Amino acid sequence: QVRLVESGGGLVQAGGSLRLSCAASGRTSSSYTMGWFRQAPGKEREFVAAISRRGGSIYYADSVKGRCTISRDNAKNTVSLQMNSLNLEDTAVYYCACRRSLIPSMYEYEYDYWGRGTQVTVSS
């Protein structure tokens, strides 16, 4: 079992930045791929970014490409999401997810473990 705990969410003005972090514990493995998803009010959860075990493969949703950077520190069992130039459409609960595979995925059904999420609210 892998436990994931997100942090770093909060209220930020449009155009600002936030850095989300996810700490993994339990039966963690640096071989797992990690991802970030988000769910806005009234919408389905959607993919944001994913990273392979060594960072050699990274995927981003088109909506965040160029504004977000995913990274991981395997020694600390953490994965981060740096978000810049935030806009109102980025308001959502952000979830960290772990997939027991070497291959990153953009599909939430392919992830095995999930955190409880952290709220990001962007104000005008």
Side-chain angles (χ1 to χ4, degrees):
Q1 190 76 7
V2 175
R3 181 169 178 256
L4 303 172
V5 179
E6 302 93 338
S7 62
L11 176 64
V12 63
Q13 285 192 325
S17 299
L18 276 178
R19 185 176 181 87
L20 306 182
S21 294
C22 173
S25 61
R27 299 187 66 177
T28 60
S29 170
S30 61
S31 297
Y32 294 169
T33 59
M34 303 296 294
W36 286 96
F37 290 76
R38 67 185 182 185
Q39 187 168 20
K43 296 186 177 180
E44 294 186 351
R45 190 154 55 184
E46 64 176 6
F47 170 76
V48 177
I51 185 169
S52 61
R53 63 170 179 161
R54 294 181 179 178
S57 293
I58 292 177
Y59 302 154
Y60 293 104
D62 288 342
S63 58
V64 304
K65 198 172 295 182
R67 300 189 297 118
C68 291
T69 302
I70 187 172
S71 60
R72 66 188 293 171
D73 185 335
N74 291 332
K76 297 181 179 179
N77 287 328
T78 59
V79 61
S80 299
L81 184 69
Q82 176 68 42
M83 303 189 296
N84 301 321
S85 302
L86 288 162
N87 56 56
L88 299 180
E89 289 69 36
D90 294 317
T91 294
V93 177
Y94 284 71
Y95 297 90
C96 175
C98 174
R99 182 180 189 222
R100 292 176 297 180
S101 170
L102 295 177
I103 303 172
S105 171
M106 297 183 288
Y107 304 104
E108 63 173 292
Y109 67 86
E110 293 188 333
Y111 283 80
D112 302 289
Y113 304 103
W114 293 84
R116 293 189 174 185
T118 184
Q119 176 71 47
V120 172
T121 303
V122 183
S123 64
S124 59

